[in-house]
Amino acid sequence: MLAALLRRAPTDEMLAQLAALRGDASPLGMAQMALAEAARTATADSVGREHFSILVGIARGEVVPYASFYLTGFLNDRPLAALRDDMQRLGIARSDKVFEPEDHIGSLLEIMGGLLRGDFDNGSFNADAEADGFFERHIARVGTRIMDDIATAPSARFYRAVANWGSIWLTLEQDAMRLPP
């Protein structure tokens, strides 16, 4: 869900699904309820403009959602090369319909989701271990920083709730990976 929201603006149908989310008194549950409320008060048009302003822009968005940029200050740098090496090793190829670099935070989360679901499992690697390693190598150092920047972007309204939920979720993932097996 987080990957989809970061890669493209939600449709009215997705906003309706988000509006139906429930939560509880935990930090993640509270953030999920805030996301549901933000979805209830948003329209696909307004969120589409917000997504464009924050994550795309004419020259660039308010946030540059690429790991290379966060780690080195440049696009298409060594972190992207390392990601491409991992993708090749795992047999993951970029879609011909995707034109931005693979280290977009939404793409990174899509790849991790695919690893967790077993979408890329060809029997030559341990998918759970690869997902953990992928998270550590490509998401952990930049994920919450990107979420924090999205949450404080000048245009953020709906995406503030997305980023707050995403930041809590990513922090929980990091904490869970540090637990002993």
Side-chain angles (χ1 to χ4, degrees), residues 127-139:
D128 288 337
E130 287 296 341
D132 288 352
F134 186 88
F135 185 87
E136 285 297 322
R137 286 188 303 278
H138 303 293
I139 299 172

Side-chain angles (χ1 to χ4, degrees), residues 50-135:
E50 186 179 334
H51 181 272
F52 183 83
S53 294
I54 297 170
L55 295 167
V56 181
I58 293 176
R60 75 174 236 195
E62 296 167 11
V63 175
V64 180
Y66 299 95
S68 288
F69 184 81
Y70 273 80
L71 295 171
T72 68
F74 299 98
L75 295 175
N76 302 316
D77 209 344
R78 281 180 266 182
L80 178 58
L83 171 63
R84 287 177 174 164
D85 287 346
D86 273 357
M87 289 173 64
Q88 183 176 17
R89 181 178 54 77
L90 296 168
I92 302 169
R94 180 172 85 176
S95 168
D96 293 337
K97 297 176 185 175
V98 174
F99 300 104
E100 71 251 354
E102 298 90 326
D103 65 340
H104 183 288
I105 187 64
S107 296
L108 295 173
L109 292 166
E110 283 180 343
I111 292 168
M112 184 167 163
L115 287 167
L116 291 170
R117 287 188 307 272
D119 295 351
F120 310 119
D121 190 357
N122 61 12
S124 66
F125 58 84
N126 178 316
D128 288 337
E130 287 296 341
D132 288 352
F134 186 88
F135 185 87

